[in-house]
Amino acid sequence: MVKVLQKVGSKIVLMSIVAAVFGCKQEVKTIEDQMKIDAPEYYTESYRPQFHFTPEEKWMNDPNGLVYNNGNYHLFYQYYPDSTVWGPMHWGHAISKDLVKWEHKPIALYPDKHGLIFSGSAVMDTKNTSGFGTEENPAMVAIFTYHDMEGEQAGKMDFQTQGIAYSLDDGNTWTKYEGNPVIGNDGIKDFRDPKVFWNEKEQNWTMLLVAGDHLQIWSSPNLKEWDKVSEFGKDKGAHGGVWECPDLFPLTIEGTDEEKWVLLISINPGAPNGGSGTQYFIGDFDGTTFTTDQTENKWIDLGRDNYAGVTYNHTPNNDRIFIGWMSNWDYARDTPTEKWRSAMTVPRKLSLRKIEDEVFLINYPIEKFSEITDKAYTEGEMELKQEQKKIIALKYGNQSEIKFFVKNPMLKMYLSNEVGDSLAIDIDANNDLVTIDRDKSGKTDFSEKFKGGAQRMDISKLPKENVEVRILLDHSSMELFLNKGQYVMTNQIFPNEFYTSLTIENTANEVVQIVNFKERKVERIWD
């Protein structure tokens, strides 16, 4: 929607924003007027994302318990129902038939005598190994970290343990296991974020746990009794901060029969562009031990706002679907929203693709997302001479998908509005580099760490043929995908008014052709 909600004193005033680029005033005004008439009041606060998941109100962080069952994708998440800043953690809950439109559900898990409910995962116990359900009505089992706040404040080291709960009605109501915690703590300060999956090789359950700066792998026959079987990572990967939110899964390299295992590890701080980020390792898993010969650090997303992401268990067709928390601990508590705080990335399908001599973890929006794009505005083919600029009036502002193809991209792009905000994206294929600068993108003064100068992403393996450039622009976020998810950058933005134009500048020493440029409106997911 081309509008902004501004707070003036104690009143909230709806301000229309009319683009005036290339004589499009009347056209955009007509669209805006129609939107203003039809706009529902629900989910229309300033900066409220229109096609990303957000809680109805209050604080949210990590996605938890991603599991599919009986036609529903379940999204549990870290939630504090009493404030828009972090507090005693619960598990919030929402469901979706298609991972696009969401239905909010009541809070799933509350703190208890063992502590707060930190991050974890969920599985369907289809073999009834736990005895919580039956094979006809298997239990959905949540596995989570208990965090004893009093123990932490008292200076103890064993304040994080692991607990389980089960549901026999598809996640609507939950029963905590009377034998909790199922894994105690021998004195590890950061001991958390269990990811559990059924291990086909060993015919048992595997649990990943982060322990400070490395990973532990545990096994169990019944989700109740656990034994540690291996460790990974003391001498691998980035170690600038605490390891968090592990995940491990197999994928087949596109176009081959070769299967590799992918390990996700989030780290805070220590990401290349500052604060929080998620690294990945490609290797092998023999049922108890993960190994890799990977020597360089690899990151699923080089933007600043994709953290703690994990993947779904039990998906149809075994698709590996990833959702991340679209924020960064450097400034997560300070972002300029009032009723709620934080959003999730769009769901992305993960795959492995070999490009030249390197295997990449590809992450790209699920196909279902394309079904909510509509009303395409097409520029067709554009030819830009050296240093020539093309200014394109955006029809759908901060609720759009922008997509085009270009060979060996040497482009500077600016998303801007009439009050001087500008988000800069520089794709420099000659120097194998993408930079994004949001220092002038809108509201930034809520945190010095939000600004931070240009973010950088190496693109040295970007193919020289035509590659797709795709931008998803929501009310307070921008997700950039190059070559269908080979390189990705996700960032929050808080423009003072919606962006009304896109400037593209050719920085190559030759003519650049931009093919099949389209801007599409992305529909609201909350209607």
Side-chain angles (χ1 to χ4, degrees):
M1 282 180 251
V2 188
K3 70 175 195 278
V4 169
L5 290 175
Q6 292 186 343
K7 192 170 184 181
V8 181
S10 61
K11 296 181 180 180
I12 298 199
V13 182
L14 180 64
M15 304 293 292
S16 297
I17 296 167
V18 181
V21 184
F22 295 138
C24 293
K25 286 185 179 181
Q26 184 58 47
E27 180 181 1
V28 176
K29 185 176 188 297
T30 301
I31 294 170
E32 152 61 19
D33 288 346
Q34 186 62 43
M35 287 180 173
K36 194 166 77 172
I37 292 170
D38 296 341
E41 294 181 359
Y42 184 63
Y43 265 50
T44 57
E45 303 92 348
S46 181
Y47 299 122
R48 174 72 82 168
Q50 298 298 288
F51 57 88
H52 290 81
F53 179 84
T54 50
E56 288 189 297
E57 59 179 3
K58 308 305 180 182
W59 170 272
M60 177 184 75
N61 57 285
D62 305 2
N64 298 153
L66 305 187
V67 65
Y68 177 86
N69 186 52
N70 289 335
N72 288 319
Y73 292 90
H74 292 262
L75 169 61
F76 301 94
Y77 53 90
Q78 292 286 275
Y79 185 58
Y80 182 42
D82 296 327
S83 177
T84 55
V85 296
W86 188 95
M89 285 290 97
H90 303 53
W91 269 26
H93 185 201
I95 61 172
S96 175
K97 297 291 185 184
D98 57 6
L99 288 168
V100 174
K101 296 192 174 185
W102 295 91
E103 175 189 347
H104 292 290
K105 305 288 282 185
I107 292 172
L109 297 175
Y110 290 79
D112 60 37
K113 65 181 180 180
H114 298 296
L116 313 180
I117 310 297
F118 272 25
S119 290
S121 53
V123 297
M124 295 305 304
D125 186 12
T126 57
K127 300 178 186 296
N128 196 32
T129 64
S130 64
F132 292 146
T134 64
E135 292 196 15
E136 293 75 26
N137 184 30
M140 180 183 292
V141 181
I143 309 95
F144 51 86
T145 294
Y146 274 121
H147 184 96
D148 178 9
M149 188 66 75
E150 292 182 0
E152 180 186 19
Q153 292 172 347
K156 297 181 179 180
M157 298 292 285
D158 60 354
F159 55 84
Q160 291 186 335
T161 57
Q162 317 311 317
I164 60 175
Y166 64 93
S167 172
L168 298 177
D169 57 4
D170 202 30
N172 289 309
T173 60
W174 291 85
T175 301
K176 304 273 183 62
Y177 176 49
E178 62 184 8
N180 279 339
V182 294
I183 297 179
N185 189 327
D186 293 330
I188 302 172
K189 181 181 178 183
D190 296 298
F191 183 59
R192 57 177 180 262
D193 306 344
K195 176 62 189 276
V196 172
F197 62 92
W198 179 252
N199 187 326
E200 290 289 349
K201 294 181 179 180
E202 299 294 320
Q203 289 295 296
N204 61 16
W205 297 100
T206 289
M207 177 191 290
L208 312 175
L209 275 172
V210 283
D213 65 348
H214 67 284
L215 175 75
Q216 294 183 356
I217 299 179
W218 294 64
S219 68
S220 171
N222 56 16
L223 296 167
K224 302 172 183 176
E225 300 161 328
W226 294 90
D227 294 305
K228 188 173 76 171
V229 295
S230 68
E231 295 186 344
F232 170 82
K234 289 184 177 179
D235 60 347
K236 296 286 187 179
H239 287 274
V242 175
W243 281 23
E244 297 187 302
C245 303
D247 199 354
L248 181 65
F249 46 87
L251 288 173
T252 301
I253 299 175
E254 292 177 358
T256 76
D257 295 325
E258 183 180 1
E259 182 183 84
K260 302 296 288 185
W261 284 75
V262 179
L263 172 65
L264 303 182
I265 296 287
S266 290
I267 182 171
N268 178 61
N273 283 306
S276 314
T278 300
Q279 57 186 320
Y280 70 89
F281 303 86
I282 298 174
D284 298 291
F285 180 61
D286 64 8
T288 59
T289 304
F290 177 80
T291 56
T292 181
D293 57 7
Q294 180 176 311
T295 56
E296 72 277 25
N297 298 335
K298 295 186 176 184
W299 303 87
I300 197 168
D301 192 313
L302 269 293
R304 295 212 63 199
D305 292 304
N306 185 353
Y307 188 63
V310 287
T311 65
Y312 270 89
N313 284 332
H314 307 285
T315 55
N317 304 316
N318 292 316
D319 285 346
R320 190 54 57 176
I321 300 169
F322 169 99
I323 294 178
W325 176 45
M326 198 157 57
S327 196
N328 190 307
W329 281 116
D330 270 358
Y331 43 77
R333 299 174 180 87
D334 305 316
T335 53
T337 61
E338 295 182 0
K339 183 177 179 179
W340 90 102
R341 187 163 276 128
S342 294
M344 298 298 182
T345 67
V346 293
R348 305 173 184 180
K349 183 176 179 179
L350 303 185
S351 58
L352 290 179
R353 184 184 307 159
K354 192 168 187 179
I355 299 174
E356 296 182 11
D357 58 348
E358 185 173 349
V359 178
F360 285 82
L361 179 63
I362 304 299
N363 71 111
Y364 194 65
I366 59 171
E367 289 184 8
K368 273 286 183 181
F369 179 81
S370 296
E371 295 182 10
I372 62 167
T373 60
D374 194 13
K375 300 179 181 177
Y377 165 72
T378 302
E379 281 282 340
E381 185 170 323
M382 293 182 281
E383 188 173 272
L384 299 181
K385 299 177 182 178
Q386 184 178 353
E387 298 183 354
Q388 183 179 354
K389 296 180 181 180
K390 172 76 171 179
I391 303 175
I392 301 167
L394 296 179
K395 306 294 184 184
Y396 309 116
N398 283 62
Q399 198 176 321
S400 63
E401 174 197 71
I402 299 166
K403 185 190 296 186
F404 59 88
F405 292 83
V406 62
K407 183 178 180 180
N408 198 36
M410 292 288 297
L411 301 172
K412 286 185 178 179
M413 297 184 288
Y414 303 92
L415 290 158
S416 58
N417 58 28
E418 296 175 352
V419 296
D421 298 335
S422 179
L423 174 66
I425 304 169
D426 186 353
I427 306 176
D428 184 350
N430 286 354
N431 290 302
D432 301 327
L433 185 66
V434 171
T435 59
I436 290 180
D437 192 334
R438 63 181 179 186
D439 283 6
K440 297 179 181 179
S441 61
K443 287 185 173 65
T444 62
D445 58 0
F446 56 87
S447 170
E448 280 299 319
K449 289 186 176 180
F450 182 81
K451 294 172 69 174
Q455 305 166 34
R456 301 165 64 87
M457 176 171 65
D458 178 271
I459 55 169
S460 54
K461 295 297 177 68
L462 189 70
K464 300 303 182 184
E465 63 264 21
N466 272 356
V467 296
E468 181 192 81
V469 178
R470 186 180 185 185
I471 296 171
L472 301 184
L473 188 63
D474 206 341
H475 286 202
S476 54
S477 65
M478 188 281 298
E479 292 162 284
L480 171 69
F481 301 89
L482 294 183
N483 194 29
K484 294 188 178 293
Q486 179 187 1
Y487 295 107
V488 182
M489 297 184 84
T490 300
N491 278 280
Q492 292 183 89
I493 49 173
F494 301 96
N496 291 293
E497 294 182 359
F498 283 5
Y499 298 135
T500 54
S501 65
L502 170 66
T503 301
I504 304 178
E505 178 184 358
N506 176 16
T507 58
N509 294 322
E510 58 188 8
V511 172
V512 167
Q513 288 187 325
I514 296 173
V515 179
N516 199 25
F517 180 98
K518 289 185 179 180
E519 179 204 0
R520 292 182 181 271
K521 179 187 175 186
V522 182
E523 302 291 347
R524 272 173 51 94
I525 65 172
W526 300 108
D527 295 335

